[in-house]
Amino acid sequence: LQFDYYQLPFCAPDKILDIPENLGEALAGEKAHTSAYQAFMKKDEFCKTLCKKHYTPQQMEEFQDFTILDYRVNMRLDNLPVAEINLVAFEDKPDETIKLYNLGYPIGSKVFDRDAPGGTPEVYQINNHLRFKILYHPLDSSSVETEDAGSSTGSYIVGFQVAPYSIHHVVRGKWKESTPYNTLATCSKEKEAHEPMVLDPKDESGADIVWTYDVVWERSDVKWASRWDVYLTLGQASDDKIHWFSIVNSLVILMFLSGIVALIMTRILRKDFARYNEVAATEEERAEAAREMREETGWKLVYGDVFRPPPGADLLAVYAGSGAQLLVMTALTLAFAALGFLSPSNRGALLSAVLFFFVLMGAPAGYVAARFCRMVREPDHLRTTVLTATLFPGACFAMFFVLNLVAWARQSSTAVPFGTLVVVMLLWFGVSLPLIFAGAFVGFRQDPIAFPCKTNPIPRQIPPQVWYLRLPVSLLIGGLLPFGAVFVEMFFILSSLWLHRFYYMFGFLALVFVILLLTSAEIAIVLCYLHLCAEDYRWWWRSFLTSGAVAPYVFLYSAYNYFSRAHPAAHFDLLSCSLYFGYTAILSYAVFVLAASSASPRASPSWSGSTGPSRSTEAWAIDELERGPAKGGSGARFCVRAVGAAAAAAAAAASAADGLTGYLDSSDTDLRLAGARPREACK
């Protein structure tokens, strides 16, 4: 949980001004206000007194609670965040030190007394003295500056550092609120050891705390264009190597799956595709091809059922449209970020871009959903369009609103103001919804996508499946390999989201994103082929769910990251857990829809032909049975394809009445009658 700076009783100026924020900052809860600290260009100042305040035991306990939870104060100057520098050394190289930059500074810390006995209760100190170091670079780098600050033509601020101290100040003489230079016996220009300012909530009389700060200016060779470099690395010198390791690991998985897919397509399916796509010249050749196909085994037996519309086809169309919307949004965001338009120095730009790109990509979502809806012959076009516009964004907004209520209840600065929520809803219903309807209007006016083969009216009976082809096992396998390709990058993304680190490796992220899509699509192809070989033609939802199965792995890894890196006091805190896992659920849901859309059925220009009768198959079969010789029918020379037990019973009764013998062919589930024509001649 983030909290506003002035929710704790820090020193405040006479008038607190709110810094203007954009939509991305408002959604992220990044609220900024003016502070009481003051600095004058190139003027070093020491032991400036900010204020002297008396704190009650309750206020001291509040400071102590935030100190125990390792809360840090974030400040910025000229849009540069303040950073604390720590020097660390590796065990094998104790003489070589590196600088680690940590955003902000801690409110306080634990007092470590080596001479204290083991039973001594924990004691905490508050950082009430700050030494700011401001780095500047002159406009004219070749000029030699003098000690007189007024002789300078101007300078850029290129660094903002802080060193916190805890000092139990002793005031000499009478305290004056009107001057920033009260005489203190415990403050000097040099870094000296002082008695810390200990927090003692058990003292009923409270305590007085004097807040002070120093300002030191230092010339730097860092140019203004490079001033954000230290903030982007934050001391993680080995990040590039880790990213390259992640890329190589992902490429190995991708090459493995690509080899399997290539093997299936080139060595197994090529000859079969060539034979099935041949156009027979005579009726005898067509009958011979049909007999050969009936003698085949495996996936070749379900050629007449693979394009049967799945149950819940409208919902699948909705998710295909939402996936296309997320896909285009992510691609555009990564492209703009990789080109440098969404730099971390432009606060809130990344989140604003994600929101605006998602809203503006409503047209592709409506178009894809409409095309899919027509492909599966879903009659309720309006319902599909409305669900495309409301299902995914509505679920995310509802969960976000509930989490925002939790943040409001805890008075956290993460809570989004009501006005910002109204703006988001206006973008949703005023921009995204009309664009989705416009895209759907264009999609529904297109000709329906035709399949390369006809769909049998009678669904084929699916034989029992082996255990490793069942849906739970398929989902377990389908999500494991794509997650293995992206889990290293997930570490940096979660660190950026929850540990307030800047993420800038958008080129790596774009490459990992492409690998994720290709891996999800290829694992769906492989598993779909295995299911078809087992004569299970229910591939529509399986391919969708298999590709999206990486989302549960993302959620579980986020849970592991929470319990391994969060403060122990927050592990089982109800509000902290609800916020973390709530936002993680939204992220995982988006990953599910995005990854699943990579393997969802798409329009193909090579698909052609008829899709069978458009009316109810059972009614069509009975209608054919009623056509006897007296009505101009074909008499004894006809064949029937019936769906359901009722139609099969009706066909059997009709054949018995005509003195014919009927039997059910289990190989193609066609009800065939003695003396009937080949099934290819059925109309």
Side-chain angles (χ1 to χ4, degrees):
L1 285 175
Q2 299 179 13
F3 291 93
D4 192 89
Y5 177 75
Y6 291 113
Q7 284 188 238
L8 288 176
F10 289 107
C11 299
D14 296 334
K15 185 178 181 181
I16 302 175
L17 300 178
D18 295 334
I19 307 299
E21 56 189 15
N22 55 37
L23 183 59
E25 289 179 299
L27 291 176
E30 296 182 2
K31 299 178 177 62
H33 317 280
T34 55
S35 70
Y37 295 96
Q38 293 183 352
F40 298 92
M41 192 69 186
K42 300 180 186 176
K43 182 180 179 181
D44 294 346
E45 298 176 285
F46 298 92
C47 300
K48 293 188 66 175
T49 54
L50 196 63
C51 72
K52 178 183 178 182
K53 298 187 69 173
H54 179 79
Y55 294 98
T56 63
Q58 291 77 13
Q59 291 175 326
M60 301 282 282
E61 185 177 6
E62 191 174 11
F63 273 121
Q64 180 174 291
D65 291 340
F66 277 82
T67 301
I68 294 174
L69 295 175
D70 296 331
Y71 269 85
R72 304 178 69 88
V73 177
N74 293 311
M75 307 176 70
R76 64 177 184 242
L77 174 67
D78 192 29
N79 201 35
L80 281 179
V82 68
E84 181 189 12
I85 299 179
N86 297 316
L87 297 177
V88 297
F90 295 103
E91 294 182 357
D92 55 343
K93 299 178 180 179
D95 298 333
E96 298 181 8
T97 60
I98 60 174
K99 291 182 179 181
L100 289 181
Y101 283 76
N102 294 319
L103 291 180
Y105 65 90
I107 293 178
S109 59
K110 184 179 179 180
V111 178
F112 293 95
D113 189 356
R114 297 179 180 178
D115 300 329
T120 302
E122 295 181 345
V123 179
Y124 294 89
Q125 61 186 13
I126 188 170
N127 294 321
N128 60 327
H129 179 80
L130 303 177
R131 173 163 290 186
F132 296 106
K133 179 187 286 187
I134 304 176
L135 308 179
Y136 67 93
H137 185 80
L139 289 175
D140 186 4
S141 303
S142 61
S143 64
V144 179
E145 297 188 52
T146 63
E147 295 296 329
D148 185 8
S151 63
S152 176
T153 58
S155 301
Y156 292 115
I157 295 177
V158 295
F160 187 31
Q161 303 171 5
V162 65
Y165 299 94
S166 179
I167 303 176
H168 191 284
H169 285 298
V170 177
V171 182
R172 290 179 179 176
K174 186 178 179 180
W175 178 266
K176 298 179 181 180
E177 291 286 350
S178 59
T179 176
Y181 293 101
N182 287 277
T183 305
L184 303 174
T186 52
C187 191
S188 63
K189 293 184 179 181
E190 304 299 330
K191 298 179 181 179
E192 300 178 357
H194 296 284
E195 180 184 355
M197 186 65 219
V198 176
L199 297 171
D200 188 9
K202 297 182 180 179
D203 188 358
E204 296 181 358
S205 61
D208 292 331
I209 299 180
V210 179
W211 300 85
T212 58
Y213 66 101
D214 304 331
V215 179
V216 178
W217 293 83
E218 182 179 306
R219 178 169 175 167
S220 174
D221 294 331
V222 177
K223 296 183 179 180
W224 187 85
S226 305
R227 64 177 189 162
W228 270 85
D229 292 352
V230 295
Y231 298 97
L232 297 179
T233 57
L234 289 179
Q236 299 175 6
S238 61
D239 277 3
D240 290 346
K241 297 180 181 179
I242 297 175
H243 281 288
W244 281 116
F245 169 77
S246 172
I247 296 298
V248 172
N249 172 66
S250 303
L251 289 176
V252 169
I253 297 177
L254 180 62
M255 292 175 61
F256 171 72
L257 289 176
S258 300
I260 296 178
V261 174
L263 179 65
I264 293 174
M265 298 299 295
T266 58
R267 301 193 60 180
I268 300 177
L269 301 182
R270 184 177 59 184
K271 294 182 179 179
D272 295 320
F273 283 163
R275 183 178 53 157
Y276 292 155
N277 291 330
E278 289 179 355
V279 179
T282 62
E283 184 75 18
E284 290 76 11
E285 291 180 356
R286 287 197 294 268
E288 180 65 23
R291 282 193 295 270
E292 291 180 0
M293 293 174 66
R294 283 197 296 270
E295 294 173 359
E296 298 284 1
T297 59
W299 68 271
K300 307 175 187 65
L301 296 176
V302 295
Y303 73 97
D305 294 282
V306 289
F307 295 113
R308 187 180 307 282
D314 56 342
L315 185 61
L316 188 59
V318 168
Y319 275 116
S322 298
Q325 186 176 11
L326 287 173
L327 182 64
V328 180
M329 175 210 74
T330 307
L332 290 176
T333 303
L334 290 177
F336 275 80
L339 294 175
F341 293 103
L342 304 178
S343 171
S345 61
N346 189 4
R347 297 177 181 273
L350 181 61
L351 190 55
S352 299
V354 169
L355 181 61
F356 284 118
F357 281 139
F358 180 81
V359 170
L360 295 177
M361 292 305 107
Y367 180 81
V368 172
R371 295 283 284 166
F372 194 101
C373 186
R374 291 211 66 185
M375 180 176 66
V376 296
R377 295 184 304 224
E378 177 61 35
D380 198 343
H381 296 174
L382 178 62
R383 179 173 179 269
T384 302
T385 307
V386 172
L387 284 178
T388 304
T390 58
L391 182 60
F392 174 76
C396 294
F397 184 83
M399 190 174 298
F400 177 77
F401 184 77
V402 172
L403 297 175
N404 202 52
L405 292 178
V406 174
W408 272 338
R410 288 293 300 269
Q411 298 180 349
S412 172
S413 62
T414 311
V416 178
F418 181 76
T420 305
L421 294 179
V422 173
V423 172
V424 172
M425 294 188 67
L426 289 177
L427 290 174
W428 179 11
F429 291 103
V431 180
S432 178
L433 187 66
L435 288 176
I436 288 177
F437 271 86
F441 176 77
V442 176
F444 284 125
R445 291 177 63 88
Q446 302 293 321
D447 293 333
I449 300 171
F451 298 128
C453 59
K454 296 182 179 180
T455 301
N456 293 333
I458 303 176
R460 182 180 180 82
Q461 184 178 2
I462 300 175
Q465 301 294 303
V466 294
W467 65 271
Y468 56 84
L469 291 181
R470 294 176 182 175
L471 183 60
V473 181
S474 299
L475 297 182
L476 187 66
I477 299 174
L480 184 59
L481 291 178
F483 176 74
V486 301
F487 82 96
V488 176
E489 206 67 24
M490 281 294 302
F491 173 83
F492 297 100
I493 295 176
L494 293 177
S495 298
S496 174
L497 291 176
W498 299 107
L499 298 182
H500 305 286
R501 295 180 179 176
F502 295 107
Y503 188 89
Y504 67 100
M505 294 290 189
F506 293 105
F508 285 107
L509 184 60
L511 186 56
V512 170
F513 173 69
V514 173
I515 293 175
L516 172 64
L517 295 182
L518 294 177
T519 307
S520 301
E522 289 182 349
I523 193 66
I525 292 173
V526 173
L527 292 178
C528 180
Y529 173 75
L530 294 178
H531 284 98
L532 291 178
C533 287
E535 302 181 29
D536 187 354
Y537 52 83
R538 298 169 299 182
W539 64 277
W540 299 83
W541 278 108
R542 282 183 180 271
S543 63
F544 184 83
L545 297 176
T546 300
S547 299
V550 66
Y553 286 94
V554 171
F555 186 85
L556 292 177
Y557 180 78
S558 301
Y560 165 76
N561 182 80
Y562 176 79
F563 287 106
S564 63
R565 305 182 71 185
H567 194 278
H571 283 175
F572 299 101
D573 181 72
L574 179 60
L575 294 178
S576 298
C577 287
S578 61
L579 285 177
Y580 181 88
F581 289 104
Y583 286 119
T584 303
I586 295 177
L587 176 64
S588 301
Y589 183 38
V591 171
F592 167 76
V593 177
L594 175 62
S597 66
S598 64
S600 60
R602 290 287 186 265
S604 174
S606 62
W607 288 6
S608 61
S610 175
T611 57
S614 59
R615 51 179 172 162
S616 172
T617 311
E618 184 171 340
W620 167 78
I622 296 177
D623 179 65
E624 288 293 317
L625 285 170
E626 291 176 350
R627 295 178 60 209
K631 297 183 180 180
S634 56
R637 300 187 58 81
F638 69 94
C639 65
V640 176
R641 296 176 184 175
V643 175
S655 62
D658 292 339
L660 300 175
T661 302
Y663 64 95
L664 188 64
D665 187 354
S666 60
S667 63
D668 54 7
T669 329
D670 282 348
L671 184 63
R672 304 184 61 82
L673 305 180
R677 291 174 292 178
R679 67 174 181 177
E680 288 73 21
C682 292
K683 297 182 181 179

